[in-house]
Amino acid sequence: YNFNREEKDMHPYSILNNKEKKIVTITHNVLGINKEDIKLSKKTEDRITYIVINGKSKDEVTGKTYSVNSRFSVDEKSLDLSKVKSTLKNGLLYITIPYKEVKEKQEKESFINID
């Protein structure tokens, strides 16, 4: 047997931090799980925010159940979780999270009254 894939069963994900495109992409192996059975959510525990992946499907041919239950901590200060996108292709779930736009701080001048 020979499998040439980055996301294996014992380490089913990879994370690509593309600073040029200003995105982070999580690629997760979800082989055997139907798209309709996968749920993505954002959850906060103890002031840490997570992207959570849950799903379970039963294979009609083998009768076996395939499942996924993973979570990834994300930095809400630098990543824009309101713009998360995901797609499922060839048994791989791609979750793309863009970086927040850095706005230059404009210094405001304020005056102090002289008594």
Side-chain angles (χ1 to χ4, degrees), residues 14-100:
S14 62
I15 300 173
L16 175 64
N17 187 355
N18 190 329
K19 294 204 179 211
E20 286 180 16
K21 291 184 178 180
K22 300 180 182 175
I23 59 171
V24 172
T25 302
I26 301 169
T27 304
H28 201 296
N29 178 353
V30 293
L31 192 63
I33 305 171
N34 296 325
K35 178 180 177 180
E36 301 78 30
D37 296 331
I38 297 176
K39 304 290 183 250
L40 289 178
S41 61
K42 179 181 98 169
K43 186 176 185 179
T44 302
E45 289 179 13
D46 298 324
R47 295 180 291 206
I48 300 172
T49 302
Y50 297 95
I51 295 288
V52 180
I53 306 167
N54 285 308
K56 182 164 68 168
S57 293
K58 185 171 184 175
D59 185 75
E60 296 173 5
V61 176
T62 64
K64 294 182 180 181
T65 300
Y66 296 89
S67 65
V68 62
N69 185 358
S70 297
R71 71 180 189 171
F72 300 89
S73 62
V74 291
D75 180 11
E76 280 194 288
K77 291 179 183 174
S78 60
L79 296 174
D80 191 349
L81 295 179
S82 68
K83 296 181 180 176
V84 173
K85 293 183 180 179
S86 65
T87 186
L88 183 64
K89 184 177 178 181
N90 298 327
L92 295 173
L93 176 65
Y94 300 95
I95 303 168
T96 305
I97 311 168
Y99 280 95
K100 287 184 177 179

